[in-house]
Amino acid sequence: RILRRKMRTTVRTLIMRQRFTSAIAAFDERYNFLRFTDAKIIAPADQSIVRLQQDQTVFEALALLRADNVPCAPVYADEARKEEPLGFLYQGDIIQLMLTTMKQMFKAAPSTDPVAIQQRMNRVAQDASTFSKTPVSEFVRKEWKPIRPGYSVFDLGFVLAKGVQEVPYTNEEGDLSYLISQESFLAAFNQDPRVRLGGVAHVTASELGCIKQVARVTEETSLIEAFKAAESTASTADPGASAAVVCDSETGKVVWFVSPETLNAPGLDTPDALGIALSKPVCDLYRDLEGQGRKEAETCKATASLIDMVRQMVESSAQRLWVVDDSERPVGMVSLTMIIECVMDAHASRKEFLA
């Protein structure tokens, strides 16, 4: 009997020692990855950077950004584009101004009135003529805070957790080498998620604080009204939260979503086409996009773990997940910023070690 007790104690001790050793090894690997790995490891392998010159027009810039499917680009004062950039031009800023201009036109008469629609189209064409000649220098955000060799993954994550979508990475000479996005940052954690996410891997969507009211519209809502609803959730601290979920008018289930990237859809590259689309129901746009790489709304349950949410967002290239109940009705939303913030807060406070 005594021998059996001693054997059990010995086995338990060996198991606990093995678990403790594994935990310490995982923590060391995670800590080394965040604190001592150069942020360059997060950068995309083959990335083409759109570089704009301050005298280019906003329409020229918008066409270049849409062609490369990038949200922003550095703006240079010199034609050679070798000096330090003035700042960034964001595609969303241009689209937002276009939407603001058009909203004023849509206040006058119902969107179903063909005469009113034609009058708006004429006004759009007139404004577009003036708007298209505006240089990008009037829209550039004069913020240029790059990271350089020697900055760690943690330093990069600290910036991205504040809602910054793209962080410039320069070489030793100060030349722009990469634009590191929130998406590429999250993709790095998906490569070895159990180690790199650590103790926060089991955090659920509800524990992230994402269960809250979201902007909802139906498939019959006009696109312009859907954008107005999306603006109600806009936040400078989290641009990814600026979106409205499109629900089925009968069942209330999630169907699509409307966000700034919606306007990157094929066929919306001219003011006239955009004006017409804005005056029509949301379903008209999304049905036209069927079979053309249309992005569906990615959903998850409130009990979904962080490790599963990271994998889903990376594999689907989604900027947000809509949290749904058992009836597939939306009850909240998880953004890239929320996940990165959770990862960084946990590491900074050592929560993942205690977990």
Side-chain angles (χ1 to χ4, degrees), residues 44-153:
D46 49 349
Q47 182 187 49
S48 62
I49 301 175
V50 176
R51 301 170 192 261
L52 304 173
Q53 209 271 332
Q54 65 174 352
D55 294 331
Q56 287 181 280
T57 66
V58 289
F59 269 20
E60 291 173 341
L62 186 59
L64 291 171
L65 291 173
R66 290 173 68 114
D68 280 54
N69 193 28
V70 292
C72 64
V75 179
Y76 295 80
D78 60 313
E79 292 186 8
R81 300 168 197 179
K82 294 294 185 182
E83 298 177 2
E84 185 174 287
L86 299 173
F88 278 107
L89 176 75
Y90 284 85
Q91 184 177 164
D93 290 347
I94 302 175
I95 291 175
Q96 189 58 50
L97 182 60
M98 293 171 66
L99 286 173
T100 301
T101 302
M102 291 183 182
K103 282 174 193 171
Q104 301 302 318
M105 306 174 202
F106 278 81
K107 287 181 178 180
S111 59
T112 55
D113 184 349
V115 176
I117 292 175
Q118 185 57 50
Q119 290 175 345
R120 292 172 190 148
M121 292 306 100
N122 294 337
R123 175 73 182 278
V124 168
Q126 293 173 2
D127 287 352
S129 177
T130 303
F131 184 67
S132 63
K133 299 175 184 177
T134 306
V136 297
S137 57
E138 295 190 19
F139 289 88
V140 64
R141 294 191 197 177
K142 297 184 178 179
E143 303 166 359
W144 183 253
K145 298 178 180 178
I147 59 173
R148 297 178 173 82
Y151 279 70
S152 67
V153 172

Side-chain angles (χ1 to χ4, degrees), residues 16-317:
M16 289 300 296
R17 182 181 299 174
Q18 184 179 9
R19 287 178 179 175
F20 185 75
T21 303
S22 299
I24 292 296
F27 176 78
D28 286 344
E29 186 176 346
R30 182 161 59 254
Y31 189 85
N32 289 337
F33 171 71
L34 283 165
R35 292 286 188 172
F36 299 111
T37 304
D38 194 292
K40 182 180 178 180
I41 196 175
I42 306 295
D46 49 349
Q47 182 187 49
S48 62
I49 301 175
V50 176
R51 301 170 192 261
L52 304 173
Q53 209 271 332
Q54 65 174 352
D55 294 331
Q56 287 181 280
T57 66
V58 289
F59 269 20
E60 291 173 341
L62 186 59
L64 291 171
L65 291 173
R66 290 173 68 114
D68 280 54
N69 193 28
V70 292
C72 64
V75 179
Y76 295 80
D78 60 313
E79 292 186 8
R81 300 168 197 179
K82 294 294 185 182
E83 298 177 2
E84 185 174 287
L86 299 173
F88 278 107
L89 176 75
Y90 284 85
Q91 184 177 164
D93 290 347
I94 302 175
I95 291 175
Q96 189 58 50
L97 182 60
M98 293 171 66
L99 286 173
T100 301
T101 302
M102 291 183 182
K103 282 174 193 171
Q104 301 302 318
M105 306 174 202
F106 278 81
K107 287 181 178 180
S111 59
T112 55
D113 184 349
V115 176
I117 292 175
Q118 185 57 50
Q119 290 175 345
R120 292 172 190 148
M121 292 306 100
N122 294 337
R123 175 73 182 278
V124 168
Q126 293 173 2
D127 287 352
S129 177
T130 303
F131 184 67
S132 63
K133 299 175 184 177
T134 306
V136 297
S137 57
E138 295 190 19
F139 289 88
V140 64
R141 294 191 197 177
K142 297 184 178 179
E143 303 166 359
W144 183 253
K145 298 178 180 178
I147 59 173
R148 297 178 173 82
Y151 279 70
S152 67
V153 172
F154 181 84
D155 297 326
L156 171 64
F158 184 75
V159 178
L160 294 172
K162 295 180 179 180
V164 179
Q165 294 177 294
E166 304 271 348
V167 177
Y169 183 97
T170 62
N171 58 23
E172 296 287 359
E173 291 72 34
D175 299 326
L176 179 63
S177 301
Y178 308 100
L179 288 175
I180 305 178
S181 65
Q182 290 182 322
E183 291 90 334
S184 56
F185 183 84
L186 213 61
F189 282 81
N190 192 50
Q191 292 175 8
D192 193 359
R194 295 194 180 280
V195 170
R196 293 182 178 181
L197 289 175
V200 297
H202 63 270
V203 172
T204 64
S206 60
E207 290 172 341
L208 283 176
C210 67
I211 308 302
K212 54 187 176 183
Q213 187 174 1
V214 295
R216 303 186 192 188
V217 297
T218 71
E219 74 276 14
E220 298 299 330
T221 306
S222 68
L223 190 58
I224 189 73
E225 293 298 327
F227 273 110
K228 289 180 182 178
E231 282 184 4
S232 66
T233 63
S235 170
T236 54
D238 188 0
S242 178
V245 62
V246 182
C247 301
D248 186 280
S249 54
E250 295 182 359
T251 64
K253 294 181 178 181
V254 173
V255 184
W256 302 303
F257 67 94
V258 172
S259 67
E261 60 262 29
T262 300
L263 294 183
N264 281 330
L268 299 184
D269 50 357
T270 66
D272 286 356
L274 178 58
I276 293 172
L278 290 171
S279 66
K280 292 183 177 182
V282 173
C283 59
D284 285 9
L285 172 65
Y286 280 89
R287 285 170 185 162
D288 290 343
L289 292 177
E290 191 170 3
Q292 299 186 44
R294 182 180 71 191
K295 275 196 172 185
E296 303 295 337
E298 292 291 329
T299 64
C300 70
K301 295 296 180 64
T303 54
S305 64
L306 196 74
I307 191 171
D308 291 332
M309 289 187 285
V310 168
R311 182 177 63 253
Q312 185 176 354
M313 295 181 87
V314 170
E315 291 178 354
S316 63
S317 300

